Each structure stands twice: as C-alpha cells, then as structure tokens.
Amino acid sequence: MDMDQHRYLITGAAGFVAPHFLRLLQTQEPGAQVLGVDLNPPTWTGAGVETQTLNLLDRPSVEATLQAFHPTRVLHLASVSSVAVSWKAPVESFQNNTNIFLHLLEGLRKLEIPARVLSVGSSEEYGRVDEAHLPLTENHPLNPGSPYGVARVAQEQLSQVFAEGYGQDIVMTRSFNHLGPGQKAQFVVSSFAKQMAEAKKAGLKQFTLTAGNTKVVRDFLDVRDVVHAYHLLFQGGTSGQVYNVCSGVGRSLDEVLTLLARICGLELTVDVDPALVRPNELMTIVGSAQKIHQAVGWVPELQFEQSLRDLVEYWQ
Amino acid sequence: MDMDQHRYLITGAAGFVAPHFLRLLQTQEPGAQVLGVDLNPPTWTGAGVETQTLNLLDRPSVEATLQAFHPTRVLHLASVSSVAVSWKAPVESFQNNTNIFLHLLEGLRKLEIPARVLSVGSSEEYGRVDEAHLPLTENHPLNPGSPYGVARVAQEQLSQVFAEGYGQDIVMTRSFNHLGPGQKAQFVVSSFAKQMAEAKKAGLKQFTLTAGNTKVVRDFLDVRDVVHAYHLLFQGGTSGQVYNVCSGVGRSLDEVLTLLARICGLELTVDVDPALVRPNELMTIVGSAQKIHQAVGWVPELQFEQSLRDLVEYWQ
C-alpha cells in the first residue's frame, strides 16, 4: 500500500466542518479512502468515499466500525459544540464530547490500530482569561467556564495521557471561532449574514438588526483555513502536542456587521437587546497561531471579507 | 426541622472512608439521618442510618434516590480510585469517577434540592509537578498523568462550573494519601502493615519484605483526620472553592517501614524488586494544608506512628 493512501475516519460527518475537509482531501489526496460517520450521516459521493450511521456512545458499534474500516487517520469532529446547550443539558453535552472521544481512543488501543488521531478541541478550554494575557498561547492555564469547556479540557487531557501512557499517536487542537459557507444560523456571524442576505434579496436598502453585545472581540477563522490546518497537523503535528487553530486577529462584532452591511449594500441600524447580552461574557478572545505556524507552516489564506462574502452567498 | 439535623447521603458507602465518616457523625451529630449507597452496600446499624443498593451510572435510579431521601448534604466518596485500574480500564474508570458525579450534581439541580455537596478529589490531579514547587498549594496548575487523574480534574472543574453557573453549593477537595484501619492491602502502606502484622503473629523476629522504590516520599494522612476535615468543610467550606486535604509532611516509604518494623518488633530486610519500581514515578509529593487550616481551623490530630499502630492492629 502506498503510504500516502490514507484511510480517513471522520466523525461528525453531518456537521459544518466535515464536508470542507472532504473537499480538501479530494483535491490533495485523491486516492484517500474516507468513511464519514454520524448519527444521521449525509450522502457523500465520489470514489473511495462512504458514510455510515454510528452512535459513538455505543461502544461495541464503535469498535466494530474501527475493526472493519481500519483507519490510518481519525478526524474527530463529532461534538455537541454549543456552550448554550451544555448549560441546558450538561450530562448529554459531556457524554457527547468526552465519552464519545474516549470510546474512539480506547477502541483504537484495544484493536491495536496505530491510527493518527486529531482531537479537535476548543478555545472554550481557556475559559475565563485575563485580557492582559492575550493573545493566548498554548501554555496559558485552562480555566473552563462552561460544562462544554470542561468536557473539551477532559478530552484534551485524555489525549495527552493516552499519547504518553500508551504511545498512541494523538495531535490536539484548540480551535477558535469558525465561519464560512454551510454554518448554521445558531452561530452569531452566520445569523447576521443570513438576516442581511435575506434583506438584500427582499430588495431592502435599510435594515435594523437586533443583537447582543456587539463590542465583543473574537478570533474568527474561515472553515476552509481550519480544515487546511487539520490536514497539515495530520502530516506534521507532533503526537501529544496541542495547537491553537486561530487567526491571531481579533475582530469585534461591530466590525463584522459593518463589513456585512457593505457587502449587502444595506444601511444598517443595530438594535441592542439587553436580553441577548450574556452575563460575564469575555470581551476579547484572541489566540496566538505561532506554534502551528512554526510546526507545519500553516497560515490562514482567506481574507476575512471574502469569508463573509461567501457566507452571504451561501445564505442567498 | 432543626437546622442541625442534616440528612447525609454518602456514596461509596462500602469503601474505606465512609464508615469512618459515619462513626464521626454518630458522635458529633447524633440526630443526623444517613443514607449510605453503593453497588454492594454494607449493613450499617444505628438510629437514623440506612443503606441502599445504587448504581450511580443509572441516572433514573440516582434521581429516584435523591427525590426520596432529599439530602441536605452529599458526601461523594464513590470512585474507582486506583491509578493502576485506570490504565487497565480507562473507560470504566472515567465513567465511575466523572460520569457518576455528574449524574449526582445534575439530579440535585433538576430536582432543585439545595444540598451542599462535598466533591472528593485527589492529589493525582496535580500529576507531574516540579519538586521545586512543593508543598503544592491549590493554585498549582493541574497536569494529570493518568486516566484517573484526568477524571478527577473533570469532576473538580464540573463542580466549579456548576457552583458558579447554577449556584449549586459545592465544596471540593484534593485529598492526598490516606492510611488507617480498614484500608485494603492494594495500597502500599496497608500492604506493608499486613505483611508485618502477619510475621509478628507468626512469632518471627526477622522478616524480608519485597518492595518497589522505597525512597518515594508521600503525604500521608490518617483516615480519621480525613473525615474530620470533610465534616469541617461541610460546616465551613466555601462553595466553589477547592481545598487540599493533606498533612503537609512528606514521609518516605523507608521511614514508614522503619516505624512498622519497630511497632512489630521485627528486624527488617527490604528486598527491592525492580519490577515493582514504577517508571516515571514522582519521587516526592507533599501538599500544603494552609488553606483548609485557615478556612475551617482543621489540623491533623493523629500521630503518624499511632496511625501505623492502629493499622497493624487492624491486620492482626
């Protein structure tokens, strides 16, 4: 077997990120075999590409899938990745982050499948940080502020311990805010883009948008840059190491709104609804992308405005 | 209801620590109602004391028990607390530490039972530490080195998040090595005491004991001081805070062996078995007990030699 002919298992195949990773693979590794799994998997077409229904909480099924497919690389995207959902259903959130991941790792270990695993984590692991410490480097202490954040920290620490204790090949990320075509409207920027795309389509020139605190600054990355980073980490990341996947640039929601209004040709009024302002929300979160840059040479390639244009187009 | 008449739910009732806590309650809070739960609960006798079979992984049963008993205080001792077991069965270890605890917290939240919870954690949460940072204070970063350590960190971080986010009343500990009557021989000091107690009983004057690295230094605490600390934390600990429960004194296994030999009147030879020397074992772990002392006035009361005498007597 050509060493480059990898067998990719992708969990969370029905999510936002997976199809972008698949598209990248089809360009860069046309010979790769891909199995996408999810509770309700999408239909993927193309040579060497298949999908399968799989509940990662069902350990025997996880092992059967691993045994049958024998991946060389595992991209673990499956996650109940909403902070809000984790406050409403903390047990389910925890299980569908930490426990599902542990089932995967333990299945690979028991079956002695030496796959490289990419454990996708979140900037939510940092939690409450002092703005004096921005941009956040990977050495910054983890102080998660939600059940979701705790679940992601546990996932990362389990990765660390499995890599060191059992010698498994596991690379970890802390991925910051994503945006891009295909993103659901439950995420703030996608929601803004959807509303303005619809206003534009309706021929409006003026639009009033209701929002929470638009002064908050976040580190946004186009999903196509994200999957490029993941692909490079599969190739050149170091097992047992964690990498921020972020732009290194902070942008306020005000800035995002101004750009979206310009793209849609709208005169925008923002109506701040105090009910949408989250208590104790961190004003600014920005990561440092130095480590991943030095390790695998990754830099974000898409211009932020282009990402917003593509997101607006997606909603149109 | 007299505010002092607490209703204690004790998980892990069949374990080493629970009967010591029960004994303390019967002296200090004779009016307390106590329900001890475990997979195979012991028989507890006394007024207001009962036990019940409960699998904490079974969420509906956890809720039914909480609903029926309506505790005002929950002492969560249930745990698969062995590091070695966590390496052999990481999924089961994780579930029987983190998931069971989460079921308890979420049950209390859903049923709106305003009980104070004592989340018992472990010095294993600190993991790999630099000996220059000893004694360990609660501010020291957590860097768990085993699946068990990760599970305990997740338990503590969930406690923190539930205390802050939902306003639940949760006090956390990081408890260091215990010893005392009733401890199983899978723990090193109890194993030494058992072997020497048996040698003494057999009328031997000389004894050769096989051990791993006896130079390691640990922070040992008598289980009766441990439960006293827990009782004081129920009364005076601050919700959302974590407290080391430790002696603050480091003792090498060599020192322990010398004391045990003197107690048993044995001339001891130690045979070091390289197979028992753990790789990457930390040489010295000592905690700082300052925070708990300042918060609730707790100090260990039992002399170390007395603890060893009682342990030898237990094995005789």
Side-chain angles (χ1 to χ4, degrees):
Chain A
M1 189 174 77
D2 182 343
M3 283 308 290
D4 289 322
Q5 303 291 299
H6 278 289
R7 301 180 62 78
Y8 283 91
L9 175 67
I10 304 177
T11 70
F16 166 45
V17 180
H20 291 282
F21 187 79
L22 180 64
R23 205 161 299 133
L24 177 141
L25 274 190
Q26 289 176 325
T27 318
Q28 304 211 354
E29 288 189 55
Q33 300 290 307
V34 183
L35 173 61
V37 297
D38 208 302
L39 287 171
N40 293 298
T43 311
W44 283 355
T45 50
V49 176
E50 51 181 328
T51 58
Q52 186 188 301
T53 302
L54 180 63
N55 181 355
L56 294 167
L57 283 173
D58 174 2
R59 237 175 121 188
S61 297
V62 170
E63 288 180 17
T65 298
L66 291 172
Q67 178 79 291
F69 183 67
H70 243 264
T72 61
R73 291 179 172 175
V74 178
L75 176 59
H76 180 59
L77 296 169
S79 161
V80 174
S81 65
S82 157
V83 170
V85 167
S86 84
W87 283 116
K88 280 176 207 140
V91 173
E92 290 73 12
S93 168
F94 196 85
Q95 288 175 337
N96 285 291
N97 282 291
T98 315
N99 293 95
I100 59 173
F101 178 72
L102 187 50
H103 289 172
L104 268 179
L105 283 194
E106 179 65 352
L108 292 168
R109 184 176 84 88
K110 271 182 64 181
L111 298 166
E112 298 180 8
I113 298 173
R116 163 156 280 204
V117 177
L118 195 74
S119 166
V120 173
S122 165
S123 56
E124 290 291 329
E125 293 175 50
Y126 291 112
R128 295 148 296 190
V129 296
D130 184 337
E131 294 192 8
H133 295 154
L134 300 176
L136 296 164
T137 66
E138 289 82 353
N139 295 325
H140 193 278
L142 303 179
N143 191 14
S146 67
Y148 172 68
V150 174
R152 288 301 206 183
V153 170
Q155 173 184 336
E156 181 183 307
Q157 291 184 339
L158 285 169
S159 297
Q160 183 82 44
V161 156
F162 272 59
E164 283 183 14
Y166 301 124
Q168 280 181 264
D169 185 5
I170 312 168
V171 178
M172 295 90 84
T173 80
R174 293 181 197 142
S175 302
F176 287 60
N177 296 54
H178 300 2
L179 85 168
Q183 191 175 35
K184 284 183 201 149
Q186 74 181 93
F187 294 92
V188 61
V189 173
S190 196
S191 162
F192 291 165
K194 178 170 187 264
Q195 292 176 62
M196 289 203 247
E198 283 164 359
K200 184 185 174 193
K201 212 172 170 183
L204 301 184
K205 292 285 159 215
Q206 295 186 324
F207 183 64
T208 300
L209 184 136
T210 306
N213 187 348
T214 58
K215 305 281 176 242
V216 299
V217 172
R218 292 291 178 269
D219 183 324
F220 292 102
L221 201 56
D222 191 286
V223 65
R224 293 160 288 187
D225 280 320
V226 171
V227 297
H228 185 213
Y230 293 170
H231 193 236
L232 289 173
L233 287 174
F234 269 121
Q235 297 169 283
T238 300
S239 182
Q241 289 289 313
V242 61
Y243 301 89
N244 283 341
V245 176
C246 60
S247 70
V249 179
R251 297 180 194 275
S252 70
L253 291 183
D254 274 336
E255 184 182 345
V256 171
L257 287 167
T258 303
L259 285 168
L260 282 171
R262 194 196 302 158
I263 290 164
C264 297
L266 291 168
E267 196 175 305
L268 186 71
T269 310
V270 178
D271 203 2
V272 173
D273 178 357
L276 293 176
V277 177
R278 295 186 195 174
N280 306 321
E281 191 168 28
L282 284 167
M283 282 307 293
T284 306
I285 301 173
V286 183
S288 161
Q290 267 218 306
K291 185 173 174 182
I292 186 172
H293 176 61
Q294 284 170 0
V296 297
W298 174 84
V299 282
E301 286 166 10
L302 279 110
Q303 296 295 316
F304 186 64
E305 193 161 342
Q306 188 59 48
S307 298
L308 292 180
R309 276 186 201 285
D310 294 346
L311 187 54
V312 168
E313 194 172 299
Y314 164 74
W315 283 117
Q316 281 177 329
Chain B
M1 189 174 76
D2 181 342
M3 284 305 291
D4 287 324
Q5 302 291 297
H6 278 289
R7 302 179 62 78
Y8 283 91
L9 175 67
I10 304 177
T11 70
F16 165 45
V17 180
H20 291 284
F21 188 79
L22 179 64
R23 205 160 302 134
L24 177 141
L25 274 190
Q26 289 177 324
T27 318
Q28 302 210 354
E29 288 189 55
Q33 298 291 307
V34 183
L35 173 61
V37 297
D38 208 301
L39 287 171
N40 292 298
T43 312
W44 283 354
T45 50
V49 177
E50 50 181 328
T51 59
Q52 186 187 301
T53 301
L54 180 63
N55 180 355
L56 293 168
L57 284 173
D58 173 2
R59 236 174 121 187
S61 296
V62 170
E63 287 179 19
T65 298
L66 291 172
Q67 179 79 291
F69 184 68
H70 245 262
T72 61
R73 291 180 172 174
V74 177
L75 176 59
H76 179 60
L77 295 170
S79 161
V80 173
S81 66
S82 157
V83 171
V85 167
S86 84
W87 283 115
K88 280 178 206 139
V91 173
E92 290 72 10
S93 168
F94 196 85
Q95 288 175 337
N96 285 291
N97 282 291
T98 315
N99 293 94
I100 59 173
F101 178 72
L102 187 49
H103 289 172
L104 267 178
L105 284 195
E106 179 65 352
L108 292 168
R109 185 176 83 89
K110 271 181 63 180
L111 298 166
E112 298 180 8
I113 298 173
R116 162 156 281 203
V117 177
L118 194 74
S119 167
V120 172
S122 165
S123 55
E124 290 291 329
E125 293 176 50
Y126 291 112
R128 295 150 297 193
V129 297
D130 183 336
E131 294 192 6
H133 295 153
L134 300 176
L136 296 163
T137 65
E138 290 81 355
N139 295 325
H140 193 278
L142 303 179
N143 190 15
S146 66
Y148 172 68
V150 173
R152 288 301 205 183
V153 171
Q155 173 183 337
E156 181 183 307
Q157 290 184 339
L158 285 168
S159 297
Q160 182 82 43
V161 156
F162 271 60
E164 284 184 13
Y166 301 123
Q168 279 181 265
D169 185 5
I170 312 169
V171 178
M172 296 91 85
T173 79
R174 294 181 196 141
S175 302
F176 286 59
N177 297 54
H178 299 3
L179 84 169
Q183 190 175 33
K184 284 184 201 151
Q186 71 180 97
F187 294 92
V188 61
V189 172
S190 197
S191 163
F192 291 165
K194 178 171 186 265
Q195 292 175 61
M196 290 203 249
E198 284 164 359
K200 184 186 174 193
K201 213 172 170 183
L204 301 183
K205 290 288 158 213
Q206 295 185 325
F207 184 63
T208 300
L209 183 138
T210 306
N213 187 348
T214 57
K215 306 280 176 239
V216 300
V217 172
R218 292 291 178 269
D219 183 324
F220 293 102
L221 201 57
D222 192 285
V223 64
R224 291 158 289 186
D225 280 320
V226 171
V227 298
H228 185 212
Y230 294 170
H231 193 236
L232 289 173
L233 287 174
F234 269 121
Q235 296 169 284
T238 301
S239 183
Q241 289 289 312
V242 60
Y243 302 89
N244 283 341
V245 176
C246 60
S247 70
V249 179
R251 296 181 195 274
S252 69
L253 292 183
D254 273 336
E255 184 181 345
V256 172
L257 287 167
T258 303
L259 285 169
L260 282 172
R262 193 197 299 158
I263 290 165
C264 296
L266 290 168
E267 195 176 305
L268 186 71
T269 310
V270 178
D271 203 3
V272 174
D273 178 357
L276 293 175
V277 177
R278 296 186 196 173
N280 306 322
E281 190 168 30
L282 285 167
M283 282 308 294
T284 306
I285 302 172
V286 182
S288 160
Q290 268 218 306
K291 184 172 173 183
I292 185 172
H293 175 62
Q294 284 170 1
V296 297
W298 175 83
V299 280
E301 286 168 10
L302 280 109
Q303 295 297 314
F304 186 63
E305 193 162 341
Q306 187 59 47
S307 299
L308 292 180
R309 276 186 200 285
D310 293 346
L311 187 53
V312 168
E313 194 171 302
Y314 164 73
W315 283 117
Q316 280 179 330

